[in-house]
């Protein structure tokens, strides 16, 4: 199964965003969190598009908070990029969404993945991860994000 982002990319973001080192054994768990939260955002966007009488998901449908939007800006400052092809391959592997994603939104999806990586890295840092991440820190971070995103 294709992942929305590879190890090298998430490793670089973690180092730049939170000064955390990431090993491959924990990277899959972290990528799982990013993919789950990304899918959750899309599911809410589907509901919002339908509520607004549209049969296409637009950027305005994405449930982004002020903090999430700031994380997008912060991700851009890291000068890292997420490959749109990887995101689209991931979308092909999950259950189909009720509505298609607009071209405008499709082009923004890598930024959302980048912001989610940055958010996970910074939450991990705040829950106590020091230089290296532990399984316990990853589980706490996952629970926090389930409550907030």
């Amino acid at each position: 199964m294709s992942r929305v982002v590879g190890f090298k990319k998430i490793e670089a973001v973690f180092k730049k965003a939170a000064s955390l080192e990431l090993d491959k054994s924990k990277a899959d768990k972290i990528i799982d969190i990013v993919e789950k939260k990304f899918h959750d955002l899309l599911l809410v966007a589907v509901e919002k598009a339908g509520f607004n009488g549209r049969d296409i998901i637009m950027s305005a449908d994405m449930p982004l908070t002020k903090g999430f939007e700031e994380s997008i800006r912060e991700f851009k400052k890291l000068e890292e990029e997420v490959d749109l092809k990887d995101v689209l391959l991931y979308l092909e592997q999950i259950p189909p969404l009720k509505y298609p994603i607009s071209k405008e939104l499709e082009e923004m999806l890598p930024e959302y993945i980048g912001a989610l990586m940055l958010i996970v890295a910074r939450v991990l840092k705040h829950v106590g991860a020091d230089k290296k991440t532990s399984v316990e820190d990853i589980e706490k971070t996952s629970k926090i994000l389930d409550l907030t995103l």
Side-chain angles (χ1 to χ4, degrees):
M1 182 167 162
S2 182
R3 303 306 304 254
V4 74
V5 67
F7 173 72
K8 292 286 186 197
K9 182 60 61 184
I10 199 163
E11 179 185 41
V13 170
F14 268 54
K15 196 169 276 188
K16 289 180 179 181
S19 301
L20 290 175
E21 292 179 19
L22 190 62
D23 60 58
K24 286 186 179 185
S25 67
K26 300 198 181 72
D28 277 341
K29 290 177 179 24
I30 291 169
I31 295 170
D32 286 345
I33 295 169
V34 170
E35 289 176 346
K36 180 180 183 295
K37 296 290 70 181
F38 178 60
H39 190 238
D40 289 350
L41 290 172
L42 290 172
L43 291 176
V44 173
V46 166
E47 289 177 16
K48 197 171 175 186
F51 180 78
N52 288 319
R54 282 186 274 100
D55 58 0
I56 189 167
I57 307 166
M58 302 178 75
S59 61
D61 298 320
M62 294 297 282
L64 306 182
T65 63
K66 178 183 173 207
F68 196 99
E69 289 176 351
E70 181 60 31
S71 294
I72 291 172
R73 287 189 286 280
E74 289 294 318
F75 173 73
K76 289 178 183 178
K77 289 179 189 176
L78 297 179
E79 297 182 359
E80 292 288 339
E81 291 184 15
V82 173
D83 191 341
L84 178 60
K85 287 185 278 184
D86 292 338
V87 178
L88 296 177
L89 279 172
Y90 168 75
L91 289 174
E92 289 175 5
Q93 298 173 86
I94 62 173
L97 300 171
K98 184 175 181 179
Y99 305 122
I101 296 171
S102 71
K103 200 68 174 159
E104 169 211 10
L105 176 57
E106 187 177 281
E107 292 172 8
M108 298 168 75
L109 295 180
E111 295 174 2
Y112 297 154
I113 298 298
L116 286 166
M117 288 189 294
L118 184 134
I119 290 166
V120 171
R122 291 190 172 164
V123 171
L124 271 167
K125 187 78 168 182
H126 284 287
V127 299
D130 183 40
K131 207 74 168 149
K132 291 223 177 222
T133 58
S134 70
V135 172
E136 294 80 21
D137 291 337
I138 294 169
E139 289 171 357
K140 285 180 193 174
T141 297
S142 181
K143 288 177 184 175
I144 290 168
L145 294 176
D146 280 343
L147 292 169
T148 58
L149 283 181

